[in-house]
Amino acid sequence: MCTLKVKLPQKEYSIIIEREILGSIGRKIKKIYRNKKIAIITDSNVEELYGKSIMNSLNEEGFETKIIVIEPGEESKSLDTASNIYKELLDFEITRGDMIIAFGGGVVGDLAGFVASTLLRGIPFIQIPSTLLAQIDSSVGGKVAVNLPEGKNLIGSFYHPEVVFIDPELLKTLDKRFLYDGMAEVIKYGCIRDKRLFDKLMKFKDEEELFSNMEEIIQSCCAIKRDIVERDEKDTGERMLLNFGHTIGHAIEKHFGYKKYTHGEAVAIGMYNITKKSEEIGITDKGTVKHIEEIITKYSLPYIMPETNRDEIIKAIGIDKKNKGDSLNIVLLHRIGESFIKKINRKDVDKYII
């Protein structure tokens, strides 16, 4: 078991990493929550695997529960889905003194957090991430949002959970594609801040060795994100480093309607291609992109830029919520483990990005 503390000016909360924590989740929550009513927001895949387990654990502690199930996938991260959840929560007669649990991957966490942040001007919520990507990245840091047809996460807020419960055992039922989807974000952390983590990932012999080290991997990634978020909660400076590979990645996701590539797959393509460009123009140490290609390939992720409508990709990059005025903020590497933010003019997209 490991506990990390997130300390922000307006809020403190814990990230608790513990194998098989789901079985005792009712007792854990009872220590921090005194009311009775809890709404669980999850998707149909997670509900089928773990719905009874979490409900039994909560009901054994006397909680009054309601489970709200959405369809899995990025298409559910919408205002329409949020509106349906609002109705179900209000039918449950939820109040600002009650609790919401986001139980699922990144889509569920972002959507449920957005609903919690906006309904009744804010209802406390807990994150129980079920995918690797959510456990090491999206459940920590307080970013909650829904998508618009124009792009990802364009409507959202900063709203932190009361606690994050991470159970690495949940990853054993994860489809292999989505396990490696999360590994793209693990690789990202190694690239931007932790060469030791990057090198360790390269040395694992097989999936069994990867899983035996999973708690340490999750802890390393969460600690990096925690440290960055504590220094830059609202994403105006250092926190942008966490977007390495995402400028291209989000544009690819949108271009293919969020259907052809997972988030991690798109980010892997983004990390490789932006580093290829920065190495070609002498910003990044020679050989860096080769290391990225090797680790991306090791974890069954794509790296070749797909055939796309170039103008649409550039337009999608321009709409990205992190861009301001005539400039774009992009994340580049000096070398593995050392990253920096570079502000470029929009007209220089060709030079640095695609």
Side-chain angles (χ1 to χ4, degrees), residues 226-245:
R226 182 270 314 271
D227 293 347
I228 290 174
V229 168
E230 285 182 341
R231 290 190 292 268
D232 179 25
E233 180 187 359
K234 296 299 175 67
D235 203 11
T236 59
E238 184 183 3
R239 188 167 178 171
M240 293 181 195
L241 294 175
L242 298 170
N243 297 317
F244 177 55

Side-chain angles (χ1 to χ4, degrees), residues 131-253:
T131 66
L132 180 57
L133 188 149
Q135 289 184 354
I136 59 136
D137 195 72
S138 61
S139 67
V140 177
K143 281 187 177 180
V144 297
V146 294
N147 303 333
L148 290 177
E150 291 79 8
K152 286 192 70 169
N153 302 327
L154 293 180
I155 302 179
S157 59
F158 292 91
Y159 192 71
H160 295 273
E162 302 305 299
V163 63
V164 182
F165 292 114
I166 297 176
D167 186 347
E169 290 295 305
L170 300 182
L171 303 180
K172 291 183 176 178
T173 55
L174 200 60
D175 182 279
K176 290 296 180 286
R177 184 184 184 191
F178 292 100
L179 173 66
Y180 295 130
D181 172 63
M183 287 305 299
E185 294 282 359
V186 177
I187 292 165
K188 175 198 77 176
Y189 282 110
C191 286
I192 66 168
R193 189 52 62 87
D194 191 344
K195 186 177 185 298
R196 178 179 166 275
L197 173 62
F198 188 97
D199 292 342
K200 194 168 187 176
L201 295 174
M202 282 300 300
K203 291 176 182 175
F204 290 146
K205 296 188 298 291
D206 51 32
E207 195 174 290
E208 183 179 350
E209 188 174 4
L210 173 68
F211 268 106
S212 69
N213 287 273
M214 192 58 76
E215 282 176 273
E216 183 183 346
I217 290 168
I218 294 169
Q219 180 182 346
S220 296
C221 295
C222 287
I224 292 169
K225 185 159 189 182
R226 182 270 314 271
D227 293 347
I228 290 174
V229 168
E230 285 182 341
R231 290 190 292 268
D232 179 25
E233 180 187 359
K234 296 299 175 67
D235 203 11
T236 59
E238 184 183 3
R239 188 167 178 171
M240 293 181 195
L241 294 175
L242 298 170
N243 297 317
F244 177 55
H246 287 58
T247 300
I248 295 174
H250 282 169
I252 290 171
E253 285 183 275

